[in-house]
Amino acid sequence: MSDLAKWWRDNATDALNRTVPKIEEYGANDLTHIGQTMARLIKWEINDKQAAELGIWFYLNGKIARALEALENERMPSDDTIFDIKIYATMIERIRQNGEL
């Protein structure tokens, strides 16, 4: 196995171990609620799957804004911010493939 493949596997395993217990504990109702609220504001009718994804995009936008603020202040975004962005993107993949988290 190449160094890149080993790093990628180890990185994914770490993300799994850090994230799945939180998702299982807290669920995704907040994502659906935020997404439905946002959709109502723009008069867009969406289902709960779309609402959950929209909620994640909302959170992801906040993380990206945080990263850009760091860069504007001549600092690199924190490892935590990068991790959160990766997790939110992975959550969108999961919803698109499975219909839910």
Side-chain angles (χ1 to χ4, degrees):
M1 176 180 292
S2 71
D3 286 342
L4 174 61
K6 182 180 179 328
W7 175 87
W8 209 288
R9 185 195 62 215
D10 293 346
N11 186 277
T13 299
D14 176 63
L16 172 78
N17 293 334
R18 291 170 60 186
T19 306
V20 171
K22 289 181 183 181
I23 294 172
E24 290 175 341
E25 179 179 355
Y26 299 120
N29 289 334
D30 65 319
L31 299 171
T32 303
H33 177 75
I34 288 168
Q36 289 290 4
T37 299
M38 291 174 62
R40 277 193 301 276
L41 290 172
I42 60 173
K43 298 179 180 14
W44 182 26
E45 290 197 28
I46 59 176
N47 61 37
D48 283 348
K49 176 183 171 184
Q50 292 167 312
E53 182 175 333
L54 186 57
I56 294 168
W57 283 111
F58 176 81
Y59 283 141
L60 189 52
N61 184 59
K63 296 297 179 177
I64 291 170
R66 182 180 293 166
L68 291 173
E69 183 175 348
L71 294 168
E72 287 172 5
N73 289 304
E74 300 178 1
R75 292 181 289 109
M76 298 307 291
S78 71
D79 290 345
D80 184 58
T81 296
I82 294 166
F83 180 80
D84 289 347
I85 289 169
K86 171 178 64 177
I87 295 305
Y88 285 133
T90 303
M91 290 167 68
I92 290 170
E93 287 180 317
R94 168 67 179 185
I95 288 170
R96 288 189 174 186
Q97 292 174 11
N98 193 58
E100 63 184 17
L101 283 177

